[in-house]
Amino acid sequence: MATVAASLPLRAAARAGPAPPRAPPSDAAFFPGRPWQRRLAARGRPWGSVGWFRAEALPGGAGGPPRREPMAPPYNVLITGSTKGIGYALARKFLKAGDNVVICSRSAERVESVANDLKKEFGEQHVGLSVMLEKALVDFARDKLEYIDIWINNAGSNAYSYKPLVETSDEALIEVITTNTLGLMLCCREAINMMWNQPRGGHIFNIDDGRPTPRFAAYGATKRSVVHLTKSLQAELQMNEVNNVVVHNL
């Protein structure tokens, strides 16, 4: 599953020293001055006792865990399927807020066109293009931005097929499942592995759709499975006592 990505624009992250341990903060502490991002996080808040990322001063030095840092704007954001639709709208919103954004798509032409349009609108010239698989997407993000604060899994496909399931081809079903289920799992795996080792931690947002989808039933089935995957990942992170990475469901 090849993906094309572009980063734009590049702004230096605010430097903030480690904060002392404190009670779990409100949404305002995660996204200061960004009410719309606080609403996004609130809607995707995981259930149960999986904690939000809390900035802590942890022991460093030889043999000690890395020092955790609080998340401070501008945020580094990666959005899959972000050359059109909801993903594109989210990319524009983050860029307007002053954040750095990595946009991706399976189409090199769409990424180049959208990157050029956004570059003209937001006045920054730092744009990189690369064709890659999911694992290489993380390497691209590290190379351009060093870390990712927010990873939004928005990409989805219905194979451009609007037929009853009984008339749907094997090829269309495979494309839908490969993109919406396997692709999501691979992105979550790579995002968690990346954020786990970041001093700032990170947030992953998965987007599901619980409505019936007649004439593209396979699409609806794969999107509904997102809820179970997100809850399972939340439980796995809790079991492994990972408190600097949070997976949300929207």
Side-chain angles (χ1 to χ4, degrees):
M1 290 176 289
T3 304
V4 186
S7 66
L8 65 153
L10 184 63
R11 297 179 176 87
R15 297 295 178 184
R22 57 186 182 272
S26 66
D27 297 334
F30 290 106
F31 303 105
R34 306 281 181 81
W36 68 274
Q37 286 176 326
R38 295 202 297 270
R39 290 195 297 271
L40 182 72
R43 290 180 186 132
R45 183 188 294 274
W47 293 357
S49 57
V50 180
W52 286 67
F53 170 54
R54 179 166 54 123
E56 297 179 346
L58 297 181
R67 184 176 295 276
R68 297 295 180 197
E69 297 176 358
M71 197 179 288
Y75 304 116
N76 291 345
V77 185
L78 186 150
I79 308 170
T80 67
S82 47
T83 58
K84 58 183 179 179
I86 293 174
Y88 178 69
L90 286 170
R92 286 178 52 81
K93 191 76 171 178
F94 279 107
L95 286 168
K96 285 182 178 179
D99 298 317
N100 305 308
V101 177
V102 175
I103 59 171
C104 6
S105 169
R106 290 175 293 178
S107 167
E109 292 77 15
R110 280 205 304 266
V111 167
E112 185 173 3
S113 174
V114 169
N116 287 335
D117 289 345
L118 293 175
K119 178 175 65 175
K120 290 176 183 177
E121 181 175 356
F122 294 97
E124 295 289 341
Q125 303 301 315
H126 188 87
V127 178
L129 297 175
S130 178
V131 178
M132 62 201 71
L133 299 176
E134 283 76 7
K135 188 178 290 291
L137 185 58
V138 169
D139 295 333
F140 178 84
R142 281 203 186 102
D143 179 58
K144 298 298 180 182
L145 301 175
E146 296 186 7
Y147 55 85
I148 293 294
D149 295 309
I150 301 168
W151 183 307
I152 302 176
N153 287 313
N154 169 73
S157 173
N158 70 337
Y160 298 98
S161 175
Y162 297 91
K163 299 178 180 178
L165 183 63
V166 296
E167 299 176 12
T168 305
S169 68
D170 292 351
E171 293 76 16
L173 290 173
I174 290 170
E175 179 181 337
V176 171
I177 294 170
T178 300
T179 301
N180 301 354
T181 302
L182 179 59
L184 174 63
M185 290 180 180
L186 292 174
C187 283
C188 284
R189 182 188 69 186
E190 298 307 317
I192 290 172
N193 281 327
M194 179 186 192
M195 293 175 173
W196 198 331
N197 296 307
Q198 293 179 167
R200 293 162 67 100
H203 294 268
I204 301 166
F205 290 88
N206 296 329
I207 300 178
D208 83 287
D209 189 342
R211 300 169 297 174
T213 54
R215 294 196 302 141
F216 46 111
Y219 171 87
T222 57
K223 297 302 285 184
R224 199 69 184 108
S225 70
V226 173
V227 177
H228 189 279
L229 176 63
T230 300
K231 290 182 178 180
S232 296
L233 294 177
Q234 290 170 357
E236 287 181 359
L237 293 172
Q238 184 179 11
M239 289 169 59
N240 288 294
E241 299 182 345
V242 177
N243 68 350
N244 70 319
V245 180
V246 187
V247 185
H248 312 263
N249 199 71
L250 292 176

